[in-house]
Amino acid sequence: MKKLPLRLFILTTIVQLLIITGWAQTAHRYGHKAAGSLPAQQLMVVLTDGWDNLHGRFYAFNKNNGKWVLQFSNAVVVGSKGLGVGDGAVPLTINGAPVKKEGDKKSPAGIFTIGTAFGYAGKKDAAWIKNPYIRAFDTLICVDDMHSANYNKLVDKDSAKTDYNSFEYMHRKDDYYKWGLFINHNSGKVVAGDGSCIFMHIWKNDHEGTDGCTAMKETNILRVLHWINVKNIPMLIQLQKTEYDKIRAKYGLPKINY
């Protein structure tokens, strides 16, 4: 009698992760097809003053009648070493720009689709989130070992094949991952060493960068999670300001007054 709940738990977890992975890969492919004309009806823009800056500004836009309308904005921090061009939904080549690699403490720059929301709350307590959601239970991990078949994936540590030497727990002792979003960097066809486990989450403070994520106040990430809706195909544009201005017209992005 004691084995049945455990089997059900593992089965449920596997199904959840398959759904999340399938949704993320579908959105990733959709983004590639939409190059030059982004399908997003909701857009998150994160801009920094330079490639090495850890401070940035977050902007949330809705598309109304073909025009981008600013909903809110707030301060963020990115990687402690700034930004590096990542593997996004639309390939970008930027001459002279750093390139995102595993462990470089840079956040990925580019155009990205959005994966699952996550948090410490149970699904019933997070039912207000209009995005796929997974609870960060104690054994949920994100694998950052580039030699693992589960590289850059969320898996259950108790049931996944143990072919990894490094990972991070999604249910931490602090509140950094109490609420967050998985950013689809290096997703779909995953490239070993190009970077993994990129999230939008709660910051430690306003003057320390992350290991490669984008972070903000808890009140601000909650505002993002109340606003974002998977039906509106939300996407993230994360760039250095001058590079954003260069591609803005090509991809129909909103003009931002700095």
Side-chain angles (χ1 to χ4, degrees):
M1 294 298 291
K2 293 183 179 180
K3 293 182 179 180
L4 184 58
L6 178 60
R7 290 175 181 173
L8 286 174
F9 170 77
I10 292 173
L11 179 60
T12 301
T13 300
I14 292 172
V15 170
Q16 288 175 338
L17 295 178
L18 285 172
I19 291 171
I20 291 164
T21 302
W23 180 87
Q25 290 176 346
T26 298
H28 182 82
R29 290 194 295 270
Y30 191 8
H32 270 291
K33 291 179 181 178
S37 179
L38 301 183
Q41 298 299 304
Q42 287 186 317
L43 196 64
M44 296 182 286
V45 179
V46 172
L47 300 177
T48 66
D49 287 334
W51 291 108
D52 297 330
N53 289 64
L54 64 85
H55 295 99
R57 190 79 189 172
F58 173 98
Y59 303 86
F61 292 90
N62 283 345
K63 182 171 275 190
N64 295 334
N65 299 318
K67 295 183 179 180
W68 290 113
V69 179
L70 179 66
Q71 304 301 299
F72 56 88
S73 70
N74 55 260
V76 297
V77 293
V78 296
S80 60
K81 299 296 183 180
L83 300 177
V85 179
D87 297 344
V90 179
L92 293 181
T93 300
I94 303 175
N95 293 332
V99 176
K100 170 67 185 170
K101 295 296 180 184
E102 184 67 46
D104 61 3
K105 297 188 183 298
K106 292 182 179 293
S107 294
I111 302 174
F112 307 96
T113 55
I114 307 303
T116 183
F118 59 83
Y120 300 166
K123 283 199 169 185
K124 288 184 179 180
D125 293 327
W128 49 269
I129 297 177
K130 299 176 287 293
N131 224 56
Y133 175 84
I134 185 168
R135 180 177 66 85
F137 48 86
D138 289 345
T139 56
L140 184 69
I141 62 172
C142 189
V143 178
D144 55 15
D145 183 345
M146 69 180 74
H147 303 294
S148 170
N150 288 315
Y151 179 59
N152 199 27
K153 293 180 181 177
L154 296 175
V155 298
D156 182 352
K157 187 174 182 290
D158 285 352
S159 60
K161 180 181 178 182
T162 308
D163 66 343
Y164 47 82
N165 292 313
S166 62
F167 62 89
E168 62 173 310
Y169 283 103
M170 296 302 297
H171 194 173
R172 299 167 53 105
K173 293 181 180 179
D174 53 45
D175 285 341
Y176 294 171
Y177 294 172
K178 181 180 177 182
W179 300 107
L181 286 169
F182 195 103
I183 305 301
N184 289 331
H185 159 72
N186 193 22
S187 63
K189 186 178 180 181
V190 178
V191 179
D194 277 12
S196 62
C197 307
I198 303 298
F199 313 127
M200 190 172 286
H201 62 78
I202 299 169
W203 68 17
K204 180 178 181 180
N205 53 52
D206 64 356
H207 56 272
E208 293 183 62
T210 69
D211 286 340
C213 296
T214 299
M216 62 189 77
K217 282 183 180 179
E218 181 175 354
T219 54
N220 290 329
I221 192 68
L222 282 169
R223 180 166 59 175
V224 172
L225 289 173
H226 275 92
W227 164 76
I228 197 170
N229 189 329
V230 65
K231 293 181 180 179
N232 293 324
I233 318 174
M235 298 183 77
L236 167 68
I237 316 293
Q238 187 159 259
L239 280 171
Q240 187 254 20
K241 287 178 180 178
T242 57
E243 296 300 333
Y244 176 83
D245 289 337
K246 290 177 183 178
I247 70 167
R248 189 180 66 79
K250 180 178 180 180
Y251 295 105
L253 306 177
K255 183 178 181 180
I256 298 175
N257 297 317
Y258 308 126

